[in-house]
Amino acid sequence: MFKIEKLQFNKFMPLLDRLEEIYAYMDEKYNQATEYYGFKCTDCMDNCCLTRFYHHTLLEYLYIRKGFSKLNTNIKPDLKKKALDVLRLTGEADKNKKTAHVMCPFNLDGLCLIYHFRPMICRLHGIPHELNRPGRGITCSPGCDEFAKLCGSKEYFKFDRTPFYIKMAGLEKELKETAGIHQKIKMTIAEMIINW
């Protein structure tokens, strides 16, 4: 793993500002879809905050780090402890070939401490969508189980994630070229937190 922390964080603020614009577009389109369905993502037993997601962009790493940096200093040691607990529990589950359902360290009493800075998967998860991959055609994915239970009988509202991925990929490429980094990233939120 390369030393991401050696990067001059402020140097990339203009790119992170552009990421905020992409996120605003995502949020707008997601909200249009959820309004159509009448879907509210609350009090779910299969909470996506219990799912281990890997994040693959330096862009989101830096943006999440920006959110972390804005938190009260007093809470950061507890977050690091929670992150270590998450890694221990997911490691144990992996050894036993089980799926770990462990709460994201940023979740406090059902609320995300870095909600404004949450990554793309947290913004888009839960509702049916499609993705048009070059050479692979369009793939469609259903919503989460809670969505299926509450809104599964409604006609599909076209929610195409492709434009978001294209915009993110272009910005990620620009960031990596600016930073002179070519390695790939594969980190969970917990792994990020203990790296800070």
Side-chain angles (χ1 to χ4, degrees), residues 55-111:
H55 305 278
H56 300 275
T57 65
L58 177 59
L59 195 59
E60 287 195 306
Y61 175 93
L62 291 174
Y63 196 65
I64 294 165
R65 181 175 153 210
K66 181 179 175 181
F68 180 81
S69 73
K70 292 183 177 297
L71 294 174
N72 186 309
T73 307
N74 296 337
I75 200 171
K76 291 178 182 178
D78 289 338
L79 279 173
K80 290 195 177 202
K81 182 184 177 311
K82 282 174 70 177
L84 287 169
D85 288 343
V86 167
L87 292 176
R88 179 181 52 77
L89 292 168
T90 54
E92 288 171 6
D94 289 346
K95 283 181 190 171
N96 295 315
K97 298 185 189 300
K98 294 185 177 180
T99 302
H101 293 285
V102 185
M103 189 58 74
C104 174
F106 281 128
N107 188 303
L108 181 65
D109 299 326
L111 297 174

Side-chain angles (χ1 to χ4, degrees), residues 78-181:
D78 289 338
L79 279 173
K80 290 195 177 202
K81 182 184 177 311
K82 282 174 70 177
L84 287 169
D85 288 343
V86 167
L87 292 176
R88 179 181 52 77
L89 292 168
T90 54
E92 288 171 6
D94 289 346
K95 283 181 190 171
N96 295 315
K97 298 185 189 300
K98 294 185 177 180
T99 302
H101 293 285
V102 185
M103 189 58 74
C104 174
F106 281 128
N107 188 303
L108 181 65
D109 299 326
L111 297 174
C112 179
L113 293 172
I114 60 157
Y115 186 79
H116 179 77
F117 298 92
R118 70 198 187 283
M120 178 171 58
I121 191 63
C122 301
R123 292 169 189 272
L124 301 180
H125 191 71
I127 63 172
H129 64 274
E130 57 193 74
L131 187 60
N132 189 353
R133 297 180 186 188
R136 296 186 192 176
I138 296 174
T139 56
C140 297
S141 298
C144 65
D145 291 343
E146 189 71 8
F147 175 88
K149 184 170 69 177
L150 298 174
C151 308
S153 62
K154 283 204 168 185
E155 189 173 325
Y156 172 63
F157 180 92
K158 184 176 174 68
F159 187 67
D160 185 1
R161 287 186 178 183
T162 311
F164 313 137
Y165 283 82
I166 290 170
K167 288 177 185 292
M168 290 277 292
L171 198 56
E172 175 74 0
K173 182 180 179 197
E174 190 176 337
L175 173 63
K176 283 188 166 183
E177 285 172 356
T178 302
I181 290 174

